[in-house]
Amino acid sequence: MSPSTPMDQSNSLPCHVGIVMDGNGRWAKARGKGRLEGHKQGAKVARNVVEWAKNFGVRQLSLYAFSTENWDRPKLEVRGLMSLLSILLPRTLPEMMQNDVRFRVLGDISPLPGSAKRAVENAMSETKGNTGMDLILCLNYGGQQEILAAARTACEWVAGQDDRESAWKALTPDRFRSMMWRHDVAPLDLLIRTGGERRISNFHLWDAAYAELYFSDVYWPDFSKQDLKDALNDYASRERRYGKTGEQVSS
Ligand code: FPP
């Protein structure tokens, strides 16, 4: 096994890995530091994880950086996270280019402060030709909000059809997904949450239907290459049945 290969069977590698990077606040508190120090350390780990995931062969990595509910955090913390974004994204650009990483966003960036929005738009535009791995930052993202937005699109689509009855019937889960923000993102294979909680917290709700879930007690700022490897190896040991029987799947 090469050092960068987490497992023997390459077909057991998840294409799309999503991570809820939880535990920054508790990591900081345990060290007598402010919450923002935890986020800063967390951002360093996020940069490392992009490189590790790319080297392991993951094709899409989505990181839950800011949820629709995170606006309700103390103003200072929200402001700190937004300035982290506007400072760190331009600094991270050279390594994204070097690692052939395409930067994308899932979520509604319109309410972000101007400097953060500009940093996001610039990173997307600078990296759009990269093909090595997609880094999908989930920003002002909520799974319920994403589903609701697609439901509105679906209703408009049905209303615009001459034969509405047939249109309702044609509204399959696949067609509905094609109306979601994630329409051109691969289905989520592995959802990792650090920090000890066992919740999905509005992350990738639609694809969570069949994603494999992996919970780690490690606080995000302590998350290591070995922790990622453990998660990928655990994924490789799962049997994904999608409602079928084990016998059907193995035959
Ligand atoms: C959850 O930990 C973490 C977040 C809400 C933010 C994640 C952000 C980063 C890792 C920094 C990189 C992102 C940007 C925007 C530059 P928590 O604060 O809920 O931790 P706790 O549960 O221990 O309090």
Side-chain angles (χ1 to χ4, degrees):
M1 207 188 303
S2 89
S4 63
T5 309
M7 62 207 73
D8 291 326
Q9 311 124 286
S10 57
N11 59 353
S12 302
L13 191 67
C15 168
H16 178 183
V17 177
I19 308 184
V20 180
M21 307 179 286
D22 196 17
N24 295 347
R26 281 164 288 163
W27 180 92
K29 193 173 179 191
R31 285 159 182 78
K33 298 179 177 188
R35 298 183 56 82
L36 263 181
E37 286 305 312
H39 294 316
K40 278 185 196 161
Q41 191 58 32
K44 281 187 194 158
V45 173
R47 283 166 83 160
N48 289 337
V49 165
V50 171
E51 192 170 335
W52 301 333
K54 158 88 194 311
N55 289 338
F56 284 148
V58 170
R59 300 291 304 161
Q60 293 188 319
L61 173 71
S62 54
L63 300 178
Y64 207 1
F66 195 86
S67 75
T68 40
E69 291 72 32
N70 286 152
W71 293 108
D72 295 332
R73 291 196 170 204
K75 278 198 171 59
L76 207 62
E77 183 171 348
V78 170
R79 230 179 287 150
L81 279 167
M82 292 299 151
S83 24
L84 257 188
L85 195 62
S86 47
I87 293 167
L88 291 183
L89 262 186
R91 280 195 205 158
T92 315
L93 256 183
E95 65 205 49
M96 286 200 270
M97 296 309 290
Q98 199 182 331
N99 289 320
D100 199 18
V101 169
R102 179 168 64 147
F103 177 82
R104 306 175 60 185
V105 163
L106 211 51
D108 173 16
I109 61 166
S110 60
L112 262 53
S115 54
K117 214 187 315 177
R118 279 191 296 279
V120 164
E121 283 165 352
N122 185 51
M124 288 197 287
S125 136
E126 291 289 320
T127 62
K128 66 174 189 277
N130 293 347
T131 56
M133 185 184 80
D134 282 349
L135 164 62
I136 303 162
L137 211 57
C138 297
L139 271 177
N140 188 25
Y141 173 80
Q144 292 177 339
Q145 287 78 356
E146 184 186 12
I147 293 171
L148 197 55
R152 290 196 183 106
T153 306
C155 289
E156 282 164 17
W157 176 74
V158 170
Q161 303 300 307
D162 292 335
D163 181 353
R164 290 194 193 161
E165 204 179 314
S166 306
W168 279 122
K169 282 187 191 139
L171 191 60
T172 58
D174 280 348
R175 188 184 289 267
F176 187 79
R177 194 183 187 281
S178 75
M179 297 172 183
M180 296 181 77
W181 297 337
R182 64 188 48 245
H183 63 93
D184 58 353
V185 172
L188 184 71
D189 296 307
L190 174 62
L191 190 161
I192 299 174
R193 182 182 187 131
T194 62
E197 313 283 4
R198 270 79 176 143
R199 294 192 278 276
I200 297 179
S201 296
N202 212 8
F203 190 44
H204 285 310
L205 283 190
W206 184 266
D207 284 346
Y210 280 106
E212 295 298 322
L213 307 182
Y214 182 87
F215 298 103
S216 160
D217 289 334
V218 171
Y219 291 154
W220 177 250
D222 287 329
F223 194 75
S224 66
K225 188 174 185 178
Q226 186 58 47
D227 293 321
L228 179 62
K229 209 168 182 174
D230 290 347
L232 295 177
N233 279 328
D234 193 83
Y235 174 87
S237 72
R238 310 274 181 102
E239 181 184 59
R240 302 190 72 188
R241 293 202 290 271
Y242 299 96
K244 293 182 181 167
T245 66
E247 289 71 24
Q248 284 176 301
V249 171
S250 52
S251 70

